[in-house]
Amino acid sequence: DVKVTQSSRYLVKRTGEKVFLECVQDMDHENMFWYRQDPGLGLRLIYFSYDVKMKEKGDIPEGYSVSREKKERFSLILESASTNQTSMYLCASSLRGSGNTIYFGEGSWLTVV
Amino acid sequence: AQSVTQLDSQVPVFEEAPVELRCNYSSSVSVYLFWYVQYPNQGLQLLLKYLSGSTLVKGINGFEAEFNKSQTSFHLRKPSVHISDTAEYFCAVSDLSRQAGTALIFGKGTTLSVSS
């Protein structure tokens, strides 16, 4: 069965902290994604990776960076967390190419205080 | 750039009634279209997708959607809903003109509330 695993479901961090959100997929997918979900705004793409060490900015990359050192793992980094980054973060993966089903993890709820 | 509009933020219906969740996208260029469902405290799950071929697409849990190119719409329908269909539904489009074309652009979501 398809599996995208996000390491932490709930996190509370302080303003200014460096935050790592980890995601692992076991399907040998080339593409991996980080989305942010906020009420009334839907899902917005933060970053996208189509191969190891390759990344593309999404629609809201400011304040975030990513790392993909291994095919199965895609990390989202908040260099200096701020309260406006309090949100639900969703990791996803898919096979290379358009039209392929994107599989989502269960999400990480991040609260920045 | 592509955008997706879900015309209703909330849709309340009674059990066994039919439902339609509306979705429009902005561009007439080639796109792939998707509907995802999110149950409380869970990630998103694919309901159905349109890539090409028949404009009527059938998905899981009795849902179907119709692609209408002239109206740039992809509305989701179910003839008879159950309490368990209560969830948030997202329409999404794959913008093939983008570098990150395999990434999906999502609408803001429609909350379907089914009551008895």
Side-chain angles (χ1 to χ4, degrees):
Chain A
D1 211 8
V2 167
K3 193 77 173 173
V4 178
T5 303
Q6 296 183 230
S7 56
S8 304
R9 288 299 309 273
Y10 303 95
L11 305 92
V12 179
K13 298 292 181 181
R14 295 193 181 278
T15 300
E17 272 193 78
K18 191 169 185 175
V19 180
F20 292 85
L21 299 180
E22 307 286 348
C23 174
V24 176
Q25 51 94 4
D26 64 358
M27 299 161 285
D28 203 34
H29 283 170
E30 292 84 6
N31 297 328
M32 296 190 74
F33 313 86
W34 276 105
Y35 285 90
R36 170 176 171 162
Q37 182 179 9
D38 298 289
L41 296 179
L43 280 74
R44 293 176 291 168
L45 181 66
I46 305 173
Y47 266 98
F48 157 60
S49 170
Y50 52 91
D51 205 344
V52 175
K53 297 190 188 294
M54 307 304 290
K55 61 185 179 184
E56 293 286 341
K57 291 181 179 178
D59 298 312
I60 53 163
E62 296 79 17
Y64 303 94
S65 61
V66 290
S67 172
R68 189 147 180 224
E69 297 296 319
K70 293 185 177 181
K71 190 175 185 179
E72 67 271 18
R73 187 179 298 271
F74 192 36
S75 302
L76 180 70
I77 303 155
L78 287 68
E79 295 289 344
S80 177
S82 63
T83 54
N84 63 13
Q85 293 178 309
T86 291
S87 187
M88 161 81 112
Y89 291 87
L90 288 162
C91 176
S93 72
S94 73
L95 288 168
R96 191 188 309 281
S98 300
N100 292 308
T101 299
I102 293 181
Y103 296 91
F104 284 84
E106 293 198 327
S108 297
W109 285 98
L110 172 65
T111 301
V112 182
V113 297
Chain B
Q2 273 285 0
S3 65
V4 177
T5 302
Q6 291 185 242
L7 295 151
D8 306 293
S9 59
Q10 298 195 0
V11 174
V13 294
F14 288 107
E15 196 172 19
E16 298 183 8
V19 71
E20 178 179 80
L21 305 184
R22 296 179 294 167
C23 173
N24 286 90
Y25 62 96
S26 62
S27 174
S28 60
V29 297
S30 293
V31 293
Y32 297 143
L33 296 156
F34 303 77
W35 276 99
Y36 278 82
V37 60
Q38 185 179 35
Y39 299 105
N41 296 318
Q42 294 187 24
L44 277 71
Q45 177 184 358
L46 181 70
L47 271 179
L48 49 80
K49 63 181 178 182
Y50 172 79
L51 304 183
S52 64
S54 172
T55 57
L56 184 63
V57 181
K58 294 190 183 298
I60 62 171
N61 300 341
F63 283 93
E64 62 181 32
E66 185 154 20
F67 169 59
N68 187 319
K69 188 175 181 179
S70 62
Q71 296 187 4
T72 60
S73 69
F74 191 54
H75 300 332
L76 181 71
R77 302 185 183 101
K78 187 170 182 177
S80 175
V81 295
H82 302 289
I83 297 283
S84 60
D85 292 322
T86 294
E88 190 156 22
Y89 292 79
F90 292 95
C91 181
V93 61
S94 183
D95 185 348
L96 304 180
S97 66
R98 285 163 57 121
Q99 178 71 20
T102 56
L104 295 181
I105 298 166
F106 285 85
K108 294 183 179 180
T110 297
T111 300
L112 175 64
S113 300
V114 182
S115 57
S116 57

